[in-house]
Amino acid sequence: AQSVTQLGSHVSVSEGALVLLRCNYSSSVPPYLFWYVQYPNQGLQLLLKYTTGATLVKGINGFEAEFKKSETSFHLTKPSAHMSDAAEYFCAVGVSGGYQKVTFGTGTKLQVIP
Amino acid sequence: KAGVTQTPRYLIKTRGQQVTLSCSPISGHRSVSWYQQTPGQGLQFLFEYFSETQRNKGNFPGRFSGRQFSNSRSEMNVSTLELGDSALYLCASSLAGADEQFFGPGTRLTVL
């Protein structure tokens, strides 16, 4: 079984400030971890993913996340927020094995204040 | 390469009716998953199809069903619609055995 917890359903940051979105996961096997972004009235777009290897993962739009096995965390960060980053962000956990079994977190809405 | 397409984009139905939603995956993708997204429940997994076979199913009543065709296109059907079925229905495709899913824009279903 697997699960994802995203801390904070709403996060507000000032433009130019650090963005930190928290995600903790639970998985009985080595996980695949993802961050997706969703803009209003659109589908989800993959920001970055961790499967194996390097624990610091860089994604699109300047976002990155670090896989910390000991803390079962996969927090998303961006050094400097931009107005265009305002969206909803979803953390997700999956497992390998030839089929899709992905569990999504409840999402965090990011507000960027000018 | 064209992305995942979903039709229709918007749909209004009344209680008791049934509805069919369509999803065309990215060319070459054989896995198609469906999700229901609501403000209260978030993203919930409905089912996943691969090579015309349902491989995985979420915790939804039997009113929700799906199928996949030989060209990997997928449809989902909801019978006897209820008000609570109002949601954004998202389709996602991926390569066989792959991990990354590509999402369509969704179908917004409103049940009156």
Side-chain angles (χ1 to χ4, degrees):
Chain A
Q2 56 199 40
S3 65
V4 175
T5 301
Q6 289 184 242
L7 295 175
S9 58
H10 291 80
V11 171
S12 294
V13 300
S14 298
E15 190 175 17
L18 171 72
V19 175
L20 170 60
L21 304 182
R22 300 178 186 274
C23 172
N24 288 89
Y25 71 91
S26 172
S27 177
S28 55
V29 297
Y32 284 7
L33 295 161
F34 312 86
W35 275 101
Y36 286 86
V37 61
Q38 186 179 32
Y39 297 99
N41 297 316
Q42 294 186 25
L44 278 67
Q45 179 186 7
L46 182 70
L47 277 176
L48 50 80
K49 65 179 179 181
Y50 168 81
T51 53
T52 59
T55 56
L56 182 62
V57 181
K58 294 187 184 299
I60 61 172
N61 301 339
F63 285 94
E64 63 181 37
E66 186 172 9
F67 170 62
K68 292 187 176 181
K69 184 178 178 181
S70 61
E71 299 177 9
T72 60
S73 68
F74 192 58
H75 302 331
L76 182 71
T77 61
K78 182 175 180 178
S80 177
H82 191 272
M83 295 299 294
S84 62
D85 295 326
E88 189 161 18
Y89 293 80
F90 292 89
C91 181
V93 60
V95 295
S96 63
Y99 64 95
Q100 286 291 344
K101 180 64 174 175
V102 178
T103 301
F104 284 83
T106 51
T108 297
K109 285 188 178 175
L110 176 66
Q111 179 186 23
V112 182
I113 304 167
Chain B
K1 187 182 272 190
V4 177
T5 58
Q6 292 187 245
T7 56
R9 290 293 312 276
Y10 300 92
L11 207 49
I12 299 175
K13 292 286 187 179
T14 56
R15 279 184 299 173
Q17 287 187 309
Q18 74 165 17
V19 67
T20 299
L21 312 181
S22 180
C23 171
S24 292
I26 291 172
S27 178
H29 285 191
R30 295 167 64 189
S31 170
V32 174
S33 297
W34 288 89
Y35 295 86
Q36 181 195 66
Q37 186 177 26
T38 59
Q41 300 296 320
L43 268 164
Q44 292 188 284
F45 173 76
L46 279 155
F47 28 65
E48 186 242 351
Y49 286 88
F50 178 81
S51 291
E52 303 179 65
T53 301
Q54 187 182 91
R55 292 199 298 193
N56 234 330
K57 190 177 190 306
N59 189 26
F60 277 82
R63 299 185 297 107
F64 292 81
S65 63
R67 60 177 175 170
Q68 187 180 33
F69 302 96
S70 58
N71 62 358
S72 293
R73 189 177 70 86
S74 177
E75 290 182 346
M76 68 163 281
N77 183 277
V78 188
S79 63
T80 318
L81 284 167
E82 300 177 358
L83 295 178
D85 297 333
S86 294
L88 180 67
Y89 290 89
L90 293 166
C91 164
S93 75
S94 63
L95 290 168
D99 50 307
E100 177 179 348
Q101 295 182 83
F102 294 82
F103 283 79
T107 294
R108 172 81 56 191
L109 171 65
T110 301
V111 182
L112 303 176

